[in-house]
Amino acid sequence: IYESAIGVFAMSQWFANALIEWSGISPGKITVVYAGLNSIGAIKEKTVPGVEATRNAPVKLLFVGRDFFRKGGDLVLEAMALLRRDRLPNVQLTIVGPDRWPLPTSIPEGVVFLGSYTPPEVAQLFCEHDLFVMPSRFEAFGIAFVEALAHGIPVIGRSAFAMPEFIQPGKNGALVRTDDPAELASTIIAVLDNTSIRQYTLQTMQGVRAQYSWEAVAERMVVHMVDHK
């Protein structure tokens, strides 16, 4: 199929490189077009206070992932427990994606489990939260990160697969390297307490919306097809 194709569209540079390695397809046949935003809502500017200011007002973290364990949901819960115990007793975590609670234990204090949501509902959640956290164990693209950034919400992912293509540590979020919940908890604190990350993410969200609209994706496809006539 790859040999007979005029061209192949890939949703990330990581996936394009992996496809070349796995299949032997010619690099000249592949064009990275990314993908478009599905959960997109109105822009609502807001600010996130520093960690010291969160003692009286809860910080709201968001995790969105139907495949809970592959997306690192278990790691987020462990980091959440550390934060509530040691640093941020009022921190809250909203979990969206799985149809039912994915663990045999009960839902922990400070966690709001919403189950499966539609894209418009998820878009509203981005507007209501302060930080998107998803240290995914495999991510060939990671549209949820881009959707969060399109709403001015900093993101935390993993330094692997396609995630470094969208997440710029110190600018719009951070990347963790391990499954250590202490590393994730410390990273969450660092991002929340960095006002420049919030400012940069707010300043660039319009550009994210433009770059990852379905219209922009279609335009990149058209350019590819014209170039390969």
Side-chain angles (χ1 to χ4, degrees):
I1 292 174
Y2 292 139
E3 287 298 325
S4 62
I6 295 175
V8 176
F9 298 131
M11 291 199 301
S12 69
Q13 189 60 55
W14 175 85
F15 183 69
N17 295 339
L19 190 59
I20 294 168
E21 179 181 352
W22 296 340
S23 72
I25 188 174
S26 169
K29 281 191 174 185
I30 300 181
T31 298
V32 178
V33 297
Y34 299 107
L37 301 165
N38 296 319
S39 299
I40 192 71
I43 294 176
K44 297 181 180 180
E45 291 193 14
K46 59 180 180 178
T47 59
V48 172
V51 173
E52 295 303 320
T54 63
R55 293 175 179 174
N56 298 318
V59 169
K60 299 180 70 175
L61 311 179
L62 178 64
F63 170 91
V64 179
R66 191 176 301 277
D67 193 342
F68 184 77
F69 293 98
R70 178 173 67 83
K71 299 284 188 178
D74 54 323
L75 179 57
V76 178
L77 282 175
E78 292 182 61
M80 171 77 171
L82 294 177
L83 289 172
R84 288 182 67 86
R85 185 191 70 189
D86 301 330
R87 298 292 299 274
L88 297 174
N90 291 328
V91 68
Q92 297 178 2
L93 171 64
T94 302
I95 295 177
V96 179
D99 293 328
R100 61 186 65 184
W101 180 244
L103 297 174
T105 55
S106 60
I107 299 174
E109 184 177 356
V111 174
V112 178
F113 175 66
L114 298 178
S116 180
Y117 259 36
T118 64
E121 291 171 327
V122 172
Q124 182 60 38
L125 290 177
F126 284 129
C127 297
E128 298 170 354
H129 287 75
D130 304 307
L131 178 63
F132 180 74
V133 185
M134 193 179 76
S136 184
R137 295 181 172 98
F138 176 78
E139 207 66 60
F141 176 59
I143 192 168
F145 294 113
V146 180
E147 290 172 342
L149 294 173
H151 290 85
I153 308 301
V155 298
I156 295 178
R158 187 181 296 265
S159 183
F161 307 107
M163 287 171 275
E165 295 181 41
F166 317 109
I167 304 173
Q168 301 171 283
K171 287 189 174 183
N172 61 11
L175 298 165
V176 297
R177 297 184 177 275
T178 71
D179 272 350
D180 182 359
E183 180 195 7
L184 180 57
S186 297
T187 302
I188 290 171
I189 290 288
V191 173
L192 289 174
D193 208 27
N194 189 325
T195 56
S196 65
I197 289 179
R198 162 59 69 190
Q199 292 168 353
Y200 181 87
T201 309
L202 287 172
Q203 291 167 357
T204 57
M205 62 180 175
Q206 289 281 23
V208 172
R209 290 182 176 220
Q211 182 177 359
Y212 297 102
S213 69
W214 279 113
E215 290 81 1
V217 173
E219 179 62 25
R220 288 191 283 269
M221 289 179 172
V222 169
V223 170
H224 170 88
M225 290 186 288
V226 169
D227 290 344
H228 284 74
K229 277 188 175 180

